[in-house]
Amino acid sequence: MAAAAARWNHVWVGTDTGILKGVNLQRKHAANFTPSGQPRREEAVSALCWGAGGETQILVGCADGTVKHFSTEEGRFQGQRHCPGGEGIFRGLAQVDGTLITCVDSGILRVWHDNDKEASSDPLLELRVGPGVCRMRQDPARPHMVATGGKENALKVWDLQGSEEPVFRSKNVRNDWLDLRVPIWDQDIQFLPESQKLVTCTGYHQVRVYDPASPQRRPVLEATYGEYPLTAMTLTPGGNSVIVGNTHGQLAEIDLRQGRLLVCLKGLAGSVRGLQCHPSKPLLASCGLDRVLRVHRIRNPRGLDHKVYLKSQLNCLLLSGRDNWEDEPQEPQEPNKVPSEDTETDELWASLEAAAKRKLPDLEQSQGALQTRQRKKKRPGSTSS
Amino acid sequence: MAKVGDKSGCSRNKGLKRKAATEEPQEAAVAEDGTTESGVQLSKAAAFPPGFSVSEIKNKQRRHLMFTRWKQQQRKEKLAAKKKLKKEREALGDKAPPKPIPKTIDNQRVYDETTVDPNDEEVAYDEATDEFASYFNRQTSPKILITTSDRPHGRTVRLCEQLSTVIPNSHVYYRRGLALKKIIPQCISRDFTDLIVINEDRKIPNGLILSHLPNGPTAHFKMSSVRLRKEIKRRGKDPTEHMPEIILNNFTTRLGHSVGRMFASLFPHNPQFIGRQVATFHNQRDYIFFRFHRYIFKSEKKVGIQELGPRFTLKLRSLQKGTFDSKYGEYEWVHKPREMDTSRRKFHL
């Protein structure tokens, strides 16, 4: 049952205890998926990304250096591949043309051949990006371009099909008014659509826009928000603004044309770890250390739509980009399940008069279906078998 | 209206009350018109229009008079109703319906979805493998460092000394203007498990930072109502060196569990029941009350307690993941008054 419902989940969240949670906001149901059936802290999820073929596969990067494949169609983990090399957790995961790109904390960026065999082969390509990487992001428009940045690790854009040198290497801003070097700490990177520009948010509460097309290697626009490190960032539909979150749980939308703060969203109580906006609808999913997944509506009217308590600390999330949010097509597997339910209802009817059993065979089937739907609704945060 | 003037002229309360008493049946008759507050009629002559309220009288003295009269009448009616109810209960005896439970803010508390279910496996796993696991698995025993903010005054110093007698295996050090971020690595190398910093403002302690050491969470509390030993009335003699037992009351939510475990990890695992001392952290409405008592069982069910030791009240301001780093650390929970304190019936611990 959980397997069939898994494909309709709206949000997938990775936690610190190694559990992948699928949340269905329509039915208000959250399900746990673990590769080994038990949560394990060594498999803490640090990166999530969609796999090949639309949104049917999820690549889960765990803290022990393995990337696991999860199928949303079947609702279970299918395989894993061990991606050794470098120390630290995965800071970025991406896939292109049947290859897998991983980047770890210590700066080793590797491209692996994504075969079905579980045995790890040597990487196709290895790049050293510099220590202290906080994020590696792939350009959705040009999948062979990736950007990396981190603590004292300037923003670099790499072309995986090109040379070993970065295509764009950013330069630090000028010394501040005390003539001191401004420290660098790029926490999150996003590629702006329809241009070559990139936006980064830093641990020193700055939001910067870089333009590789211009001769200027320094940021083109800089805006600050708050007093705490910004930990996550996402683009809004429309492409003119970004939403950032900081370690205090404050979410803000910043306009990139003027560098101005537009709105703040409230509700989070802990550090924001994952943020994602829906590509067309004005929905924002956020997760953080306060163990709650929230979905906000970012315009008309602005506010909190859904709030789901998931019992572990949440590290990263994936929001499904599909349009048919509300449509829940009839699941084709229902007829398989109804006979099993039917035995229970049969016994029930048998315990009543024999006349009743004779009368209503059709009603039994529909009643069975109703009962399954009701049972699904009543269970709020059950663990899947 | 001349009559009305006379009555207000003799402003003796008793006289007015007697007159009010005689006018009650007339008031009762008027009150049935459907107006709730109006009804105070002075005499049959002055009939008030329906919908008249005491607050519309412009003369302050007169208005006050009318209001007190109305209030006395309400009180009388209420007393009469109570007596009647009591008589009915006595008349029914055993068959009387049970007394209705009064509504309190604790009763009406909004159900918190993060309340921990004891059978929940995920939460159990989370707690079994969190930063306090080594304490709860009995692999480490607590060693506490107590210090203050820079240049503490007498009250704070005495509070630290008293706290160190309450918490076993704790050491008080003078804070010589050292930065906490520099103290913490030194503590870790000397095997300390917890750091307590008592913050002081205007000569009284007002904050507490509790940091679990190897890489554990840091909780920042507001401290109020601090009473040192000599300010506690009817207290017992000073606490002995026996290890106290601990009571943690009412930490029901997930956040409450984390904070409760933090407090539990301050004390060693093996309480010495001979000492008959107990430290209590009681959470009520998000305030944590700390008390330290000595108890003695007089019989199976009767206990006598003596309060020893300092007492104070804590309120959680933030819980930060990792050791003390207020600027760059990640917060697990931050108290935001304008967002979280909107409902009087919602609590977070």
Side-chain angles (χ1 to χ4, degrees):
Chain A
M1 207 194 312
R7 73 179 77 181
W8 306 119
N9 283 339
H10 297 111
V11 192
W12 295 91
V13 193
T15 64
D16 244 354
T17 47
I19 304 175
L20 179 70
K21 292 185 186 253
V23 182
N24 190 324
L25 300 168
Q26 221 38 47
R27 284 190 218 164
K28 303 196 195 295
H29 179 90
N32 284 359
F33 299 100
T34 44
S36 52
Q38 287 295 319
R40 287 177 61 222
R41 216 165 262 270
E42 299 82 32
E43 294 175 345
V45 178
S46 56
L48 281 182
C49 85
W50 291 113
E55 292 182 352
T56 55
Q57 215 189 41
I58 298 180
L59 300 170
V60 180
C62 299
D64 55 358
T66 57
V67 175
K68 300 182 163 67
H69 300 258
F70 178 81
S71 156
T72 54
E73 302 283 314
E74 296 172 33
R76 59 181 188 84
F77 281 86
Q78 280 177 326
Q80 64 171 29
R81 76 166 290 131
H82 191 54
C83 301
E87 294 162 359
I89 57 176
F90 287 113
R91 292 293 187 179
L93 211 57
Q95 69 89 32
V96 61
D97 298 339
T99 58
L100 179 69
I101 313 169
T102 62
C103 185
V104 284
D105 208 19
S106 63
I108 311 261
L109 191 152
R110 285 184 169 178
V111 181
W112 306 83
H113 193 64
D114 195 20
N115 46 10
D116 288 337
K117 288 183 292 183
E118 288 200 12
S120 64
S121 48
D122 283 329
L124 290 173
L125 177 63
E126 179 173 323
L127 291 173
R128 282 182 194 274
V129 184
V133 174
C134 287
R135 185 75 74 186
M136 181 215 50
R137 187 78 76 171
Q138 180 194 39
D139 188 352
R142 296 169 295 167
H144 53 94
M145 306 281 277
V146 292
T148 58
K151 187 151 192 170
E152 295 308 325
N153 188 339
L155 175 71
K156 299 183 185 86
V157 181
W158 305 83
D159 187 352
L160 297 172
Q161 293 169 344
S163 67
E164 297 251 326
E165 287 297 312
V167 169
F168 173 71
R169 188 196 291 264
S170 69
K171 193 169 170 181
N172 196 5
V173 294
R174 290 203 169 87
N175 287 354
D176 62 9
W177 62 292
L178 293 169
D179 202 20
L180 294 171
R181 178 187 170 265
V182 177
I184 302 175
W185 187 4
D186 286 325
Q187 289 254 41
D188 201 350
I189 310 170
Q190 287 282 353
F191 281 86
L192 285 175
E194 292 153 18
S195 72
Q196 282 188 15
K197 293 191 215 171
L198 302 112
V199 197
T200 60
C201 71
T202 68
Y204 300 107
H205 46 85
Q206 300 147 330
V207 177
R208 291 172 168 166
V209 179
Y210 292 86
D211 192 356
S214 75
Q216 184 181 338
R217 280 169 57 203
R218 289 198 164 122
V220 166
L221 180 76
E222 180 169 314
T224 57
Y225 169 68
E227 326 154 331
Y228 298 101
L230 303 173
T231 49
M233 184 169 67
T234 179
L235 300 168
T236 51
N240 289 325
S241 57
V242 285
I243 300 189
V244 291
N246 66 6
T247 53
H248 257 228
Q250 295 161 342
L251 290 176
E253 187 173 349
I254 297 189
D255 186 44
L256 290 176
R257 293 173 289 187
Q258 292 183 326
R260 202 165 57 91
L261 171 67
L262 288 177
V263 250
C264 286
L265 295 163
K266 59 181 189 177
L268 274 90
S271 171
V272 179
R273 281 276 176 100
L275 271 186
Q276 193 173 350
C277 252
H278 192 274
S280 50
K281 299 186 204 213
L283 291 176
L284 170 76
S286 58
C287 74
L289 291 182
D290 59 348
R291 303 183 168 94
V292 177
L293 169 75
R294 286 180 177 85
V295 178
H296 289 259
R297 183 169 289 276
I298 43 184
R299 51 192 76 109
N300 51 306
R302 220 170 276 123
L304 184 65
D305 256 356
H306 301 97
K307 184 169 100 154
V308 187
Y309 171 61
L310 303 166
K311 300 158 199 154
S312 313
Q313 291 184 344
L314 310 170
N315 258 342
C316 42
L317 62 81
L318 270 185
L319 183 63
S320 144
R322 63 176 204 257
D323 277 328
N324 57 336
W325 208 259
E326 278 84 18
D327 299 336
E328 290 286 324
Q330 279 297 317
E331 290 158 9
Q333 293 190 20
E334 280 247 23
N336 295 336
K337 277 176 280 167
V338 168
S340 60
E341 308 286 5
D342 250 352
T343 51
E344 298 176 33
T345 53
D346 271 350
E347 285 164 20
L348 185 68
W349 285 112
S351 67
L352 299 173
E353 308 161 68
K357 191 178 174 187
R358 232 190 316 129
K359 252 194 269 174
L360 309 158
D362 299 318
L363 199 60
E364 272 180 15
Q365 281 214 359
S366 59
Q367 265 204 356
L370 249 179
Q371 277 176 14
T372 54
R373 254 182 244 128
Q374 279 176 358
R375 267 188 223 126
K376 275 181 210 160
K377 272 187 195 155
K378 274 177 191 164
R379 262 187 278 128
S382 58
T383 49
S384 73
S385 50
Chain B
M1 291 315 278
K3 262 194 195 170
V4 172
D6 276 340
K7 279 171 193 163
S8 63
C10 56
S11 53
R12 217 150 291 141
N13 280 337
K14 282 188 188 168
L16 291 168
K17 269 188 200 168
R18 262 186 266 127
K19 288 199 176 104
T22 53
E23 281 143 30
E24 267 190 13
Q26 296 167 7
E27 287 167 3
V30 171
E32 282 163 333
D33 277 349
T35 53
T36 47
E37 281 194 353
S38 57
V40 182
Q41 218 177 16
L42 294 176
S43 68
K44 294 176 205 165
F48 285 80
F52 177 80
S53 141
V54 174
S55 54
E56 284 173 22
I57 303 176
K58 297 301 178 187
N59 182 342
K60 186 167 176 171
Q61 244 185 1
R62 192 95 197 104
R63 187 171 67 235
H64 180 69
L65 196 98
M66 301 287 252
F67 178 73
T68 35
R69 198 178 293 178
W70 175 82
K71 207 60 183 161
Q72 286 156 10
Q73 187 214 350
Q74 294 291 96
R75 224 175 285 147
K76 208 175 282 205
E77 282 174 13
K78 190 172 172 181
L79 198 62
K82 252 194 198 169
K83 276 197 179 157
K84 185 173 154 215
L85 197 64
K86 192 170 175 187
K87 260 197 194 143
E88 282 175 12
R89 281 190 81 86
E90 278 175 23
L92 282 177
D94 282 336
K95 288 177 287 179
K99 273 191 176 175
I101 312 167
K103 282 192 212 176
T104 61
I105 291 188
D106 298 296
N107 276 349
Q108 307 293 103
R109 178 177 177 174
V110 164
Y111 173 69
D112 197 334
E113 56 184 355
T114 61
T115 308
V116 175
D117 177 23
N119 305 330
D120 196 329
E121 302 159 346
E122 193 178 333
V123 175
Y125 178 78
D126 201 6
E127 294 197 336
T129 51
D130 70 355
E131 295 102 344
F132 300 106
S134 62
Y135 166 79
F136 284 99
N137 293 338
R138 315 248 178 150
Q139 285 160 0
T140 53
S141 65
K143 187 174 172 193
I144 322 283
L145 179 74
I146 303 182
T147 183
T148 64
S149 53
D150 199 19
R151 295 185 148 258
H153 283 85
R155 261 187 94 83
T156 313
V157 172
R158 267 174 268 135
L159 176 67
C160 288
E161 288 166 19
Q162 292 180 6
L163 258 188
S164 71
T165 58
V166 163
I167 305 178
N169 204 7
S170 59
H171 308 262
V172 181
Y173 280 85
Y174 177 58
R175 175 98 175 267
R176 293 165 49 101
L178 300 167
L180 277 181
K181 287 199 203 169
K182 294 205 176 130
I183 298 178
I184 285 174
Q186 296 233 354
C187 284
I188 297 177
S189 65
R190 277 157 227 232
D191 282 337
F192 278 94
T193 57
D194 288 275
L195 172 69
I196 299 182
V197 182
I198 297 191
N199 190 57
E200 185 202 35
D201 184 47
R202 292 173 70 129
K203 305 185 193 174
I204 45 168
N206 71 347
L208 184 90
I209 296 177
L210 176 56
S211 184
H212 188 73
L213 272 186
N215 45 5
T218 305
H220 178 29
F221 297 95
K222 239 195 298 201
M223 182 154 52
S224 51
S225 273
V226 179
R227 303 280 176 263
L228 300 174
R229 261 182 208 137
K230 64 178 186 179
E231 294 159 9
I232 297 179
K233 295 184 181 168
R234 293 181 287 274
R235 68 176 167 98
K237 294 207 179 121
D238 283 342
T240 56
E241 294 289 319
H242 295 103
M243 301 205 195
E245 302 159 48
I246 312 150
I247 295 180
L248 295 164
N249 270 343
N250 225 354
F251 289 97
T252 50
T253 64
R254 186 69 185 85
L255 180 68
H257 261 239
S258 308
V259 172
R261 285 162 70 86
M262 270 194 103
F263 287 129
S265 70
L266 288 177
F267 294 87
H269 262 290
N270 42 339
Q272 292 170 316
F273 296 98
I274 301 182
R276 291 183 279 121
Q277 290 176 143
V278 58
T280 309
F281 291 90
H282 175 90
N283 171 38
Q284 189 160 341
R285 300 199 201 174
D286 282 355
Y287 283 90
I288 302 172
F289 299 91
F290 172 77
R291 300 286 183 270
F292 193 70
H293 294 281
R294 181 179 287 135
Y295 61 88
I296 182 161
F297 277 101
K298 294 178 195 161
S299 71
E300 269 278 325
K301 304 223 169 152
K302 284 178 80 171
V303 194
I305 51 174
Q306 280 181 338
E307 185 165 3
L308 327 169
R311 89 161 66 149
F312 48 84
T313 318
L314 299 173
K315 186 167 188 195
L316 184 68
R317 275 176 73 172
S318 64
L319 184 63
Q320 184 213 324
K321 192 172 161 116
T323 55
F324 180 78
D325 190 349
S326 59
K327 215 157 79 152
Y328 301 117
E330 290 196 318
Y331 285 85
E332 223 182 277
W333 188 82
V334 176
H335 181 248
K336 297 185 180 172
R338 295 193 76 178
E339 287 178 34
M340 297 180 181
D341 285 350
T342 46
S343 164
R344 297 189 75 168
R345 285 167 270 278
K346 179 149 180 57
F347 306 111
H348 308 281
L349 269 189

